[in-house]
């Protein structure tokens, strides 16, 4: 097949005037694009680089591709930015990998996602959405117990999430909220902090989707309130140990597996996704958030967990692509 690869590249330099140093964090490096390209080629296809944004719009009309492998994060700071490329592909009736615009749009909005899964009985930390500083000041926080977690309502790649994002009292909550309102110009989620183990669950396929792998993320330095923050993700080789498969009780593994598959279904995910959980002291998984477009670079969690199970990158990419192609009529590709 002639496969188009849609992606958004991380620019060499962050835009001038940026108040924050992680505004480009979710975008991919050329190294990741090349890695995915070579993995698709190793599975016997040819690859056309489509890029993202307006370059993508030009190329998708010009290049005749049979299928698009999509990793584009989308342009701008819009909460539905991940839906942009799939929406164009649906408009042009071009088949593509991964979830559809509706699913991607919902999942980048942390509150909408939590509402949807909570309605179906999935456990998720209690939360309060605050739109601005005045709203934060006028909220009655007595119902919440510190520590609390503060995070931007529609970001990924741990954008905005620092060690300071776990707050112990009102003063820290106000100062962290101010920092995030200033830097990220969006509503904030203030959540109950779940202090147990962190486990991420990778899911692949459709009819039925299956858990590919689970990975526990363990801080090297014992700390009371571990956060898999942007600082930790950038320096993961030094700061954390990954355990895959996780050495957890069989019952806890089962609960994680059930929750992961249930969430994938509720949100209407397709082909692949990675879901983040924290455990409470009794081993109950609390759903934090889902990535229906998880990173596929060599330093991304899904790729790391696959590698730890002996699954090479090209095999991982092939499983995603195969699942995606299968959803369309096979005669499309004859
Ligand atoms: N309610 C919470 N309780 C405890 N820790 C939390 C909570 N919410 C977030 N965290 C910590 O912050 C990290 C990042 O949060 P989250 O996964 O919501 O952000 P993200 O930017 O969407 O992540 P990703 O990089 O996976 O896209 C989590 O992996 C976890 O360590
Ligand atoms: Mg996460």
């Amino acid at each position: 097949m002639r496969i188009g690869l849609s992606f958004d590249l991380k620019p060499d330099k962050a835009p001038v005037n940026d108040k924050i140093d992680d505004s480009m964090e979710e975008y991919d490096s050329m190294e990741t694009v090349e890695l995915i390209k070579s993995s698709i080629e190793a599975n016997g296809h040819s690859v056309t680089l489509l890029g993202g944004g307006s370059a993508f719009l030009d190329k998708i009309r010009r290049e005749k591709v049979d299928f698009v492998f999509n990793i584009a994060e989308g342009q701008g700071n819009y909460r539905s930015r991940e839906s942009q490329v799939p929406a164009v592909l649906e408009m042009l009736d071009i088949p593509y990998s991964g979830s559809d615009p509706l699913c991607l749009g919902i999942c980048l909005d942390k509150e909408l996602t939590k509402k949807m899964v909570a309605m179906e009985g999935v456990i998720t930390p209690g939360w309060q959405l605050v739109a601005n500083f005045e709203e934060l000041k006028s909220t009655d926080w007595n119902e919440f117990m510190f520590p609390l977690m503060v995070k931007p309502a529609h970001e990924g790649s741990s954008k905005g999430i620092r060690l300071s994002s776990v707050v112990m009292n009102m003063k820290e909550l106000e100062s962290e909220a101010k920092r995030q309102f200033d830097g990220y110009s969006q509503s904030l989620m203030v959540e109950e902090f779940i202090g147990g183990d962190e486990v991420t669950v990778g899911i692949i396929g459709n009819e039925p989707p299956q858990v590919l792998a689970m990975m526990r993320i363990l801080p090297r330095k014992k700390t009371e309130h571990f956060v898999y923050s942007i600082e930790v993700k950038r320096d993961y080789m030094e700061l954390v140990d990954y355990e895959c498969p996780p050495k957890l009780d069989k019952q806890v593994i089962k609960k994680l597996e059930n929750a992961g598959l249930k969430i994938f279904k509720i949100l209407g995910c397709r082909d692949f996704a990675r879901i983040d959980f924290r455990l409470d002291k009794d081993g109950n998984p609390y759903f934090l958030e889902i990535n229906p477009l998880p990173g596929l670079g060599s330093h991304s969690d899904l790729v790391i967990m696959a590698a730890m199970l002996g699954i090479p990158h090209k095999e991982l990419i092939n499983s995603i692509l195969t699942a995606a192609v299968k959803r369309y009529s096979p005669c499309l590709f004859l």
Side-chain angles (χ1 to χ4, degrees), residues 110 151 157-158 191-192 194 198 228 233 289 291:
K110 289 197 156 91
K151 52 189 187 181
S157 310
S158 278
E191 272 185 5
E192 181 191 355
I194 310 299
E198 171 132 1
Y228 198 21
K233 284 180 188 168
E289 57 104 26
N291 304 284

Side-chain angles (χ1 to χ4, degrees), residues 129-143:
L129 187 80
V130 282
N132 50 49
F133 197 70
E134 290 65 49
E135 205 173 290
L136 182 125
K137 289 288 272 182
S138 61
T139 300
D140 177 7
W141 294 102
N142 283 324
E143 271 180 41

Side-chain angles (χ1 to χ4, degrees), residues 10-81:
K10 211 187 271 277
D12 291 338
K13 279 191 186 146
V16 241
N17 297 337
D18 245 10
K19 290 186 201 156
I20 46 177
D21 73 347
D22 57 4
S23 64
M24 300 291 128
E25 201 73 17
E26 65 196 347
Y27 295 129
D28 284 297
S29 64
M30 201 56 213
E31 190 192 334
T32 293
V33 171
E34 289 294 343
L35 175 67
I36 296 171
K37 177 174 181 280
S38 64
S39 285
I40 299 174
E41 286 169 345
N43 287 299
H45 308 288
S46 67
V47 175
T48 303
L49 298 185
L50 300 171
S54 46
F56 164 80
L57 289 178
D58 292 342
K59 281 203 165 175
I60 196 66
R61 302 303 306 273
R62 220 177 40 234
E63 306 283 349
K64 297 284 169 251
V65 298
D66 301 310
F67 198 91
V68 171
F69 193 92
N70 175 42
I71 60 159
E73 297 285 341
Q75 302 285 309
N77 187 32
Y78 310 104
R79 67 177 174 170
S80 45
R81 58 191 179 270

Side-chain angles (χ1 to χ4, degrees), residues 199-325:
V199 184
T200 190
V201 177
I203 296 181
I204 295 251
N206 310 294
E207 291 179 353
Q210 286 182 337
V211 171
L212 173 85
M214 287 183 198
M215 183 167 84
R216 176 154 65 158
I217 296 127
L218 296 156
R220 288 234 171 115
K221 218 168 102 191
K222 287 281 153 275
T223 149
E224 202 184 344
H225 299 109
F226 169 65
V227 177
Y228 198 21
S229 64
I230 200 150
E231 298 104 324
V232 175
K233 284 180 188 168
R234 283 176 177 168
D235 197 13
Y236 70 95
M237 292 220 206
E238 296 297 321
L239 300 178
V240 286
D241 286 314
Y242 292 132
E243 193 182 81
C244 175
K247 292 178 194 138
L248 290 165
D249 204 86
K250 258 194 198 137
Q251 279 175 340
V252 176
I253 298 277
K254 195 73 208 148
K255 282 186 197 169
L256 281 161
E257 196 172 294
N258 290 345
L261 293 172
K262 184 171 175 178
I263 292 162
F264 190 90
K265 184 155 183 248
I266 295 168
L267 296 166
C269 297
R270 302 191 309 207
D271 307 339
F272 72 132
R274 219 200 69 233
I275 309 179
D276 294 339
F277 294 93
R278 288 294 284 248
L279 303 177
D280 71 4
K281 58 178 178 9
D282 301 317
N284 296 308
Y286 278 65
F287 165 74
L288 297 185
E289 57 104 26
I290 180 164
N291 304 284
L293 207 55
L296 291 173
S298 55
H299 305 298
S300 302
D301 286 346
L302 188 65
V303 175
I304 294 174
M305 46 216 275
M308 288 177 84
L309 294 181
I311 303 168
H313 193 265
K314 80 167 195 198
E315 214 174 290
L316 176 68
I317 297 292
N318 195 38
S319 309
I320 298 167
L321 191 56
T322 307
V325 169

Side-chain angles (χ1 to χ4, degrees), residues 88-158:
V88 170
L89 293 170
E90 290 193 353
M91 185 170 68
L92 300 173
D93 207 16
I94 298 173
Y96 63 94
S97 63
S99 295
D100 76 349
L102 184 59
C103 169
L104 293 170
I106 289 171
C107 293
L108 200 53
D109 183 308
K110 289 197 156 91
E111 179 174 56
L112 264 182
T113 309
K114 278 163 69 89
K115 277 185 173 163
M116 281 187 66
V117 300
M119 244 166 30
E120 300 287 331
V122 170
I123 316 172
T124 186
W127 80 94
Q128 176 73 47
L129 187 80
V130 282
N132 50 49
F133 197 70
E134 290 65 49
E135 205 173 290
L136 182 125
K137 289 288 272 182
S138 61
T139 300
D140 177 7
W141 294 102
N142 283 324
E143 271 180 41
F144 287 82
M145 285 238 294
F146 287 96
L148 294 171
M149 184 75 201
V150 187
K151 52 189 187 181
H154 43 90
E155 295 297 351
S157 310
S158 278

